[in-house]
Amino acid sequence: MRDTQSGVIAARPASLREHRDEIRRVWTRAAGLAMDLLQNSGKLRGAADQIIADTVGIELQLNPRPDLSRFGYNPAETIAWIRELKAEWKVYAWTPLECDFRAKWTIPQMTDIGVRHWLAFGESVGVCDFVPRSQRLPGTKTGTKFLLLSPQQLVQDTNDVEGLYQGVIHDSYGRPIAYRFEEKRDGFRQKMDYPARDAQGRQSVMHAYDPFSSDDVRGISPLVTTFRKYLMAENVDDATAQLMFLQTIYAAILKSDKPSAEAFEALDMMKEAGGDGAADIASDFVDYFKAQLDRAAESEIRLGPGAGVSHLAPGEDMEFKNITAPGPNHKDVIGTFNRETARALGITYGGYTLDFTQATYASTQMENASTWPIARRRTDRIASPHVLIPYASWVDERIETGLTPFKGGIEVYRANREAILWALCTGPSKPTADDVKKAKGASERIVNGTGTLEQEISEDGGDPEEVFESRLYWHNRYIDAGMKSPFERGLPSDAAADGDTPAGKNKVDA
């Protein structure tokens, strides 16, 4: 804490408060400013789309991982049970009439919206509900619906006596038991409490955010740390553009040896003072320049369409200045601002600015290596709850109603629900600057035992089970049709390794 002679530490006052109090103090202002920037900045809108592409891709691949062996399932039965569940989930997740309370969005669309909510508000909230048959739309087969809400509907009210803090009601142990939303119903605004879990302890409200401190209750936009530098960069860009416009329009300078206004004022003073011949000299001088100005009036200087100069008055010279904006340090300054914003958003500099002029293979690989874990973490922490929580409620309905049989019955399922519902979500594949080198690296890891097919396929954005089933299906289909399977090794279709000699040809010594 020893300060310098410039007093740089003393010039920055700071106080220590609970982090959740800081969030509550600035949440509304931060959310409003973040939403404004996202809606009015092409760069930030593109960055938001890039974050969604890195985190979600086209959709999150659901990969159930239940251990059903202790419930009497053999490996073949387990695979068949999971395969059937995944096939039914695909249809449900891509049918808005089935999965969305509003019957408007698919699960992948709601996941995208949830990530955008997290960027603007720092959190995403939704409610899982069961709609009775009497309230369903025609053609609807399931009652489990997911309602994605805007975080601004979660009230900012705080009441310590009630255990309410910024819209979340807690019990005496600090556990969330209900969420208070402000909704508009029948033209009137009213506050409604949604229980965090139902009577059986199943999660009803999804609240996805990235806490900074252990006592945090709400999230805050990751754009908050970028506000100052981003707006400074935006001002620099605007000022530079305006300066270039001005210099482009007013770069023409007219030089003249005519006397300035002070000279004509001196002549007027000579006339007033009088003296021998002073008035005559002043009059002759003015008449001389009047004749020159009359002649110059016949000429013109035009800027814009049809620009040109007919001729200049005696003693005048036209000069065109070069544009000096932006300055020599403009690129470095803007680059610093952009790098800080990209770092806070967790995306690469090239992905944020689309500037790859100085990018190399090594730098691109290092950028991907540093940001890829961040994208995977966001997939697990922010995006996955939009899939896993509706999935859990949907499986509950299928087993409770008998659509999906389960050995041991409903009671066994209820007693082991969390283990049976265990699942992971796989995001898009890891970006690479060279697909060939990536494939060779994956093969080498599998051969030397440091990697697995499951790990490599998951990192590539695929589902290991689906890849296996697809390969098995097409392999058998090729064999049954009397054709060579493309999955067999040692065939002419295999890519030749570097230095290999094509079959049927002899090496020729150099």
Side-chain angles (χ1 to χ4, degrees):
M1 296 298 294
R2 183 177 298 172
D3 207 349
T4 63
Q5 293 181 354
S6 62
V8 63
I9 298 179
R12 188 183 182 96
S15 58
L16 185 61
R17 305 184 186 91
E18 287 190 9
H19 190 258
R20 66 174 187 173
D21 291 336
E22 290 287 342
I23 292 177
R24 183 167 65 95
R25 181 175 63 87
V26 303
W27 191 93
T28 301
R29 171 60 176 161
L33 190 55
M35 182 65 77
D36 178 72
L37 293 179
L38 285 171
Q39 291 177 334
N40 295 282
S41 170
K43 183 183 291 186
L44 284 183
R45 177 57 189 267
D49 292 340
Q50 185 66 55
I51 290 173
I52 293 174
D54 294 341
T55 306
V56 179
I58 298 176
E59 68 168 322
L60 294 182
Q61 296 292 336
L62 180 68
N63 189 11
R65 299 287 188 85
D67 181 10
L68 302 181
S69 59
R70 51 180 169 162
F71 305 115
Y73 287 83
N74 59 40
E77 291 174 332
T78 299
I79 293 174
W81 191 84
I82 294 175
R83 185 190 302 121
E84 178 185 357
L85 203 64
K86 290 175 64 175
E88 294 292 338
W89 167 257
K90 283 280 189 180
V91 177
Y92 172 83
W94 283 92
T95 307
L97 189 64
E98 299 290 348
C99 64
D100 185 18
F101 189 88
R102 301 182 180 93
K104 296 169 64 178
W105 317 117
T106 64
I107 292 293
Q109 284 178 307
M110 286 190 279
T111 305
D112 292 349
I113 297 172
V115 175
R116 289 192 181 95
H117 281 174
W118 170 74
L119 284 170
F121 303 102
E123 56 192 351
S124 179
V125 289
V127 178
C128 271
D129 198 6
F130 184 82
V131 178
R133 190 176 299 275
S134 60
Q135 299 178 9
R136 300 177 193 173
L137 294 174
T140 307
K141 299 177 181 179
T142 58
T144 301
K145 309 297 176 189
F146 184 55
L147 175 62
L148 192 65
L149 298 170
S150 174
Q152 67 188 88
Q153 293 180 256
L154 191 58
V155 301
Q156 300 293 316
D157 301 346
T158 297
N159 187 342
D160 292 335
V161 176
E162 191 180 357
L164 175 66
Y165 192 93
Q166 206 176 355
V168 184
I169 304 174
H170 302 79
D171 63 9
S172 57
Y173 293 97
R175 298 172 295 197
I177 58 176
Y179 292 79
R180 183 163 295 173
F181 292 90
E182 186 176 20
E183 301 177 346
K184 180 181 289 187
R185 296 189 178 185
D186 300 326
F188 296 95
R189 289 192 174 275
Q190 54 182 329
K191 296 180 180 180
M192 302 288 296
D193 290 347
Y194 288 86
R197 297 181 179 272
D198 62 10
Q200 286 76 35
R202 294 175 293 197
Q203 187 172 355
S204 300
V205 176
M206 182 213 69
H207 189 197
Y209 66 100
D210 194 6
F212 181 88
S213 178
S214 59
D215 61 355
D216 283 352
V217 176
R218 301 280 298 271
I220 194 166
S221 172
L223 291 171
V224 169
T225 56
T226 72
F227 284 160
R228 184 166 61 93
K229 292 298 179 66
Y230 176 81
L231 293 175
M232 289 174 63
E234 195 174 60
N235 289 337
V236 170
D237 283 340
D238 290 343
T240 302
Q242 293 296 333
L243 183 58
M244 293 180 68
F245 295 154
L246 288 174
Q247 288 186 348
T248 301
I249 297 174
Y250 298 108
I253 298 177
L254 183 65
K255 289 184 177 181
S256 176
D257 57 2
K258 307 277 190 309
S260 62
E262 289 79 3
F264 285 97
E265 292 176 358
L267 293 174
D268 291 337
M269 294 177 62
M270 289 174 60
K271 290 181 180 181
E272 295 176 358
D276 296 337
D280 295 336
I281 295 174
S283 297
D284 293 341
F285 192 82
V286 172
D287 292 341
Y288 169 75
F289 281 105
K290 182 177 182 300
Q292 284 195 329
L293 292 174
D294 291 339
R295 183 178 180 183
E298 300 175 359
S299 63
E300 60 176 347
I301 300 174
R302 299 185 305 276
L303 297 177
V309 179
S310 57
H311 62 271
L312 301 177
E316 293 180 339
D317 182 28
M318 176 65 72
E319 180 179 352
F320 291 89
K321 293 290 185 180
N322 293 328
I323 297 177
T324 58
N329 298 324
H330 177 267
K331 187 175 182 180
D332 295 335
V333 173
I334 292 297
T336 300
F337 290 155
N338 288 336
R339 285 186 178 87
E340 181 167 338
T341 303
R343 177 75 272 186
L345 293 176
I347 59 178
T348 64
Y349 175 80
Y352 176 65
T353 63
L354 296 183
D355 180 13
F356 302 98
T357 53
Q358 296 182 348
T360 62
Y361 175 80
S363 66
T364 302
Q365 289 294 89
M366 287 303 299
E367 281 187 332
N368 293 336
S370 62
T371 58
W372 176 242
I374 298 176
R376 294 192 64 180
R377 181 180 177 277
R378 287 174 176 172
T379 299
D380 293 336
R381 304 291 199 277
I382 306 300
S384 292
H386 298 78
V387 176
L388 296 179
I389 293 178
Y391 165 76
S393 298
W394 173 78
V395 174
D396 288 340
E397 179 186 357
R398 291 190 63 86
I399 293 181
E400 294 280 350
T401 57
L403 292 174
T404 299
F406 186 79
K407 289 185 177 181
I410 297 176
E411 295 301 328
V412 174
Y413 169 76
R414 290 175 179 174
N416 301 274
R417 178 178 179 271
E418 298 301 328
I420 297 170
L421 292 176
W422 171 247
L424 298 175
C425 285
T426 305
S429 61
K430 181 180 180 180
T432 178
D434 192 321
D435 290 336
V436 175
K437 293 182 179 179
K438 177 183 178 181
K440 288 183 177 179
S443 300
E444 181 64 25
R445 286 190 292 271
I446 293 174
V447 171
N448 63 27
T450 59
T452 63
L453 280 172
E454 185 178 25
Q455 178 183 358
E456 300 298 338
I457 293 174
S458 298
E459 187 174 278
D460 203 34
D463 186 332
E465 288 290 343
E466 291 184 359
V467 171
F468 174 80
E469 294 296 335
S470 176
R471 288 171 63 97
L472 180 62
Y473 169 79
W474 287 107
H475 172 76
N476 292 332
R477 186 170 178 182
Y478 272 92
I479 297 299
D480 294 342
M483 301 171 63
K484 292 289 186 180
S485 172
F487 304 109
E488 294 180 0
R489 297 294 182 180
L491 296 178
S493 60
D494 291 344
D498 295 339
D500 288 353
T501 302
K505 295 187 178 181
N506 298 325
K507 293 183 179 179
V508 178
D509 295 335

